[in-house]
Amino acid sequence: MIYKTDPHLISPYLKDASNYIGGFADKVVIPESIEELSCFLKTNTQQITIAGAGTGMTASRIPLSGCILSLERFNSIGNPDGGFIDVGPATSLENLYKKLEPTEYFYPPNPTETLASIGGTAATNASGSRSYKFGVTRDYVIEADIFFSDGNSTTLKRGLTIDDPLEISNGRKVFFPNISYKSPLCKNAAGYYVRPNMDWLDLFIGSDGTLGIFTRIRLKLKFSPSSFISGILFFDKEEECWDLVDSIKKSKQKFINPCSLEYFDRHSLNRLRKKFSHIPTAAQAALFFENDIDRQIDHKIALDSWIDYLENTSVLSDSWFALSASDLKKFHEFRHAIPALINEENSRLKRTKIGTDMAVPDLYYFDMMNFYTRELESSGIEYVVFGHLGDNHLHINFLPDEQNIQKAHDLYAKFVSQALKWNGTVSAEHGIGKLKKKYFLQMVGEDSMNQLKSIKKIFDPDFYLGKGNIF
Ligand SMILES: Cc1cc2nc3c(=O)[nH]c(=O)nc-3n(C[C@H](O)[C@H](O)[C@H](O)COP(=O)(O)OP(=O)(O)OC[C@H]3O[C@@H](n4cnc5c(N)ncnc54)[C@H](O)[C@@H]3O)c2cc1C
C-alpha cells in the first residue's frame, strides 16, 4: 500500500478539468492489490473520494475532506476474447484503443478525452461523438467487480436485475427500495440511473463515485467497421448547419446513417483557427460527421451517396473530407482540441468552468438552438458552443469577465429551466459531481432526491464515498 501525505504529492489529486478550487485531503491511499484495498476499507474511518484520471468536468473526484483513494495500480488490461475485454479501472481509453488497434474490435462510445480512465468513464457514464449511433458507456459495461465502503464486494453481471436481491460478499442480501423515481429517457448522465427491471449494474454506472468502487470492468466490444466516410463540413451561417443536421437525421437513405454529428459554432472556429489555420475564412460553423461502413465493398457507393447528398446543400466547397485513417485521426484531434483549448484558456485566466451539458428531446431541437443563440447573443457575455448536435446535446461554455460572472450563472439557470420544461436533462454526459447539484435538485425535486438518498444509504450508510457529489 502506498500512502502519500506530503501536500505537494497530494495536490495533483485536488484537480480535474473543472478548475474547481477548494479540495482538501490529508492523504492519498494507493492500494496495490485487492487484498490491500479490502483491508484498507475494512479499517478506514474517513471519508473517501475515488480518483480516476482527473479529466472530469464536475469536480467529482476532488475531495472535500478525508482521503483520496487512487486505483492507479489497477491498470491491467486483458486480451479481447470473443468480443469482450477485462480491464482494471485505471486503464486509460488511450491504452484500450492501443490494445484494440491490431484486433478486429473497437470500443464504440469514444469519449473525447482519451486520458480518462475506464473507471472514471463508468462512474460518469461517459459518452462521445459516436454515442449518437452506438450508445454510451452503460451500453458497453457488461460486468464489474464492485467494492463497498465497508470493504465488502460483489460482482455485477448483466441479467441480475433489481427485481431480485443482490448478494454481497459477507452474505448480506440487498433489496432495491420501493421508490417511484425514474430517470428520464433522453440521453442522460444525471444522478443514479433508475428504471423498472433494470440491472443492478446500471445503478452503479453513472453513480459519480458515491455508491461503490469499480475494481474490474468487463467491456463489450464491437467489430471494427471496415472504414469510415468522414468530413468536417463548413457553413457560412450557423443556421445552415442546424438545418443540415436535421435533414441528415431524417434521411432514410441507406448510406446516410452517421455515427457522429458534432457541431462547432463560430466562436469555436475562431479559437480553432489558431491551431488549424486552413479553416476556410468564410466559415461561421462546422459539422464533423463520421459514417461507419461495415463492408469495404460498400465504401465507394456510400461515399458517392454522401457526395450526392451534400451537393445541393449550403456546405462550403472548401470543406474537408477524410481520405485516409490518418485524416480521420486528425479530425478527431480537431474535435478534441476545442474543449482542450477552452479548458486551457480557463486555467490560464483562472476562470472556473461554467459549461453546460444539457440535452433535450428531438422535438425541441430547433427551439433549443434558437433559444440558446438568441439569449447568448443578447447577453453580451463571451461564449463558445460545440458538441453533440445529433443528440440535441450541446456544451455551452460561458466565458465571462469578472463583472459578468453572476450574469453568466443567471443565464445558465435560465437555460436549465427551459431545458427542463422541454423534458430534458441537466447533464447528458459529465455527471452531476459538485458543480451541478443545484440543477439536479431542480430537475428531480426534493422528494425524488430523498428517494435517491435512500439508495445511497443502502450501500454507504455513513456517506463515506464521494462526499459532496450529487447530494
Ligand atoms: C478535453 C476534454 C474532453 C472531454 N470530453 C468528454 C466527452 O466527450 N464525453 C464525456 O463523457 N466526458 C468528456 N470529458 C470529461 C471526462 O473525460 C469524463 O467525465 C471521464 O469519464 C472522467 O474520467 P476520469 O478517469 O478522468 O475520472 P475522474 O475525473 O478522475 O473522476 C470522475 C468520477 O469518477 C469516479 N471514479 C473514478 N474511478 C472510479 C472507480 N474506479 N470506481 C468508482 N468511481 C470512480 C470519481 O470518484 C469521480 O466521481 C472531457 C474532458 C476533457 C478534459
Side-chain angles (χ1 to χ4, degrees):
M1 181 87 93
I2 300 167
Y3 290 97
K4 294 183 180 175
T5 50
D6 178 339
H8 292 295
L9 298 178
I10 297 174
S11 73
Y13 296 86
L14 302 178
K15 296 181 190 140
D16 70 359
S18 68
N19 280 353
Y20 179 86
I21 297 166
F24 174 82
D26 63 14
K27 61 174 172 293
V28 183
V29 179
I30 307 175
E32 295 186 274
S33 66
I34 286 289
E35 293 69 34
E36 284 188 358
L37 171 67
S38 167
C39 183
F40 160 72
L41 292 168
K42 283 187 171 148
T43 51
N44 170 61
T45 53
Q46 280 189 303
Q47 256 133 8
I48 300 170
T49 300
I50 310 160
T55 70
M57 299 281 202
T58 65
S60 58
R61 81 112 183 209
I62 301 181
L64 299 178
S65 60
C67 67
I68 295 160
L69 174 65
S70 170
L71 298 169
E72 61 204 61
R73 294 297 169 110
F74 289 59
N75 59 359
S76 63
I77 177 161
N79 288 314
D81 182 12
F84 304 103
I85 189 167
D86 277 343
V87 298
T91 303
S92 64
L93 285 167
E94 190 176 34
N95 284 343
L96 175 65
Y97 297 156
K98 274 192 201 139
K99 183 83 185 181
L100 296 179
E101 210 168 78
T103 75
E104 56 193 336
Y105 296 110
F106 85 124
Y107 179 62
N110 83 312
T112 313
E113 178 51 74
T114 58
L115 297 177
S117 69
I118 301 294
T121 58
T124 55
N125 190 28
S127 51
S129 55
R130 292 178 182 162
S131 295
Y132 169 61
K133 181 165 171 181
F134 294 133
V136 299
T137 300
R138 179 182 309 288
D139 300 309
Y140 294 89
V141 175
I142 60 141
E143 193 177 307
D145 292 341
I146 306 272
F147 271 75
F148 301 103
S149 54
D150 63 4
N152 287 300
S153 63
T154 193
T155 295
L156 298 173
K157 296 182 188 210
R158 288 283 163 211
L160 283 177
T161 72
I162 56 166
D163 301 336
D164 293 317
L166 177 66
E167 250 189 74
I168 311 288
S169 55
N170 59 357
R172 180 180 157 222
K173 282 196 168 140
V174 169
F175 295 83
F176 196 79
N178 187 11
I179 58 174
S180 57
Y181 174 77
K182 288 188 194 66
S183 303
L185 285 170
C186 68
K187 184 182 182 189
N188 180 44
Y192 299 156
Y193 182 86
V194 181
R195 301 292 312 166
N197 317 112
M198 69 176 189
D199 291 339
W200 281 102
L201 187 52
D202 282 321
L203 178 64
F204 291 85
I205 299 167
S207 62
D208 257 352
T210 62
L211 289 181
I213 304 156
F214 288 95
T215 56
R216 176 190 63 96
I217 298 171
R218 174 165 291 186
L219 299 171
K220 183 171 78 178
L221 306 169
K222 257 177 123 63
F223 283 119
S224 303
S226 76
S227 61
F228 286 92
I229 309 277
S230 178
I232 297 185
L233 309 176
F234 294 101
F235 306 81
D236 63 9
K237 289 195 189 68
E238 290 174 345
E239 291 81 350
E240 287 170 351
C241 179
W242 312 348
D243 288 343
L244 185 71
V245 167
D246 183 54
S247 120
I248 291 173
K249 284 172 72 171
K250 289 179 179 152
S251 170
K252 297 269 181 290
Q253 291 188 41
K254 186 171 173 200
F255 291 108
I256 308 298
N257 183 17
C259 57
S260 307
L261 288 170
E262 296 287 303
Y263 178 66
F264 306 82
D265 77 342
R266 62 184 190 284
H267 304 295
S268 306
L269 292 185
N270 285 342
R271 281 172 172 78
L272 285 163
R273 281 189 169 93
K274 290 173 203 143
K275 247 186 126 160
F276 302 86
S277 52
H278 50 309
I279 293 173
T281 34
Q284 295 290 311
L287 180 72
F288 165 44
F289 81 93
E290 290 179 291
N291 201 133
D292 51 304
I293 307 295
D294 283 339
R295 303 180 315 159
Q296 196 50 35
I297 197 174
D298 292 328
H299 186 92
K300 167 116 185 37
I301 176 169
L303 182 61
D304 290 346
S305 304
W306 270 98
I307 291 169
D308 285 353
Y309 186 79
L310 295 174
E311 204 161 70
N312 295 318
T313 64
S314 49
V315 168
L316 293 179
S317 57
D318 37 4
S319 292
W320 307 340
F321 289 88
L323 301 175
S324 64
S326 87
D327 284 349
L328 187 61
K329 195 160 173 256
K330 278 187 209 135
F331 289 178
H332 277 273
E333 283 161 17
F334 185 91
R335 172 63 183 86
H336 177 260
I338 186 62
L341 279 168
I342 291 165
N343 291 343
E344 181 275 318
E345 183 178 317
N346 281 338
S347 299
R348 187 165 31 85
L349 300 175
K350 301 205 171 8
R351 238 176 358 212
T352 300
K353 187 177 174 68
I354 312 179
T356 75
D357 183 28
M358 295 160 307
V360 303
D362 273 345
L363 183 63
Y364 301 104
Y365 167 63
F366 281 112
D367 292 334
M368 173 190 86
M369 296 309 288
N370 286 316
F371 173 72
Y372 286 163
T373 308
R374 197 173 58 237
E375 294 290 334
L376 286 163
E377 280 301 292
S378 62
S379 73
I381 300 168
E382 211 181 322
Y383 69 90
V384 171
V385 180
F386 63 90
H388 319 288
L389 201 51
D391 290 315
N392 320 310
H393 172 207
L394 289 177
H395 299 303
I396 299 166
N397 283 260
F398 300 95
L399 308 170
D401 50 27
E402 279 295 308
Q403 302 90 287
N404 275 326
I405 291 176
Q406 189 51 47
K407 202 169 166 189
H409 282 292
D410 293 346
L411 191 53
Y412 186 175
K414 190 169 183 183
F415 286 2
V416 166
S417 297
Q418 187 55 62
L420 294 180
K421 275 187 204 143
W422 287 328
N423 298 322
T425 174
V426 296
S427 173
E429 175 171 271
H430 297 153
I432 296 300
K434 299 184 178 62
L435 300 188
K436 296 188 176 157
K437 290 194 285 188
K438 169 173 94 171
Y439 298 133
F440 185 54
L441 179 59
Q442 185 180 347
M443 176 173 157
V444 302
E446 198 76 55
D447 188 37
S448 294
M449 198 60 123
N450 286 330
Q451 297 184 23
L452 295 176
K453 268 187 202 157
S454 73
I455 298 176
K456 163 90 171 158
K457 281 183 194 152
I458 295 174
F459 293 102
D460 183 26
D462 298 318
F463 277 62
Y464 273 147
L465 285 184
K467 183 182 179 189
N469 292 350
I470 304 179
F471 303 110

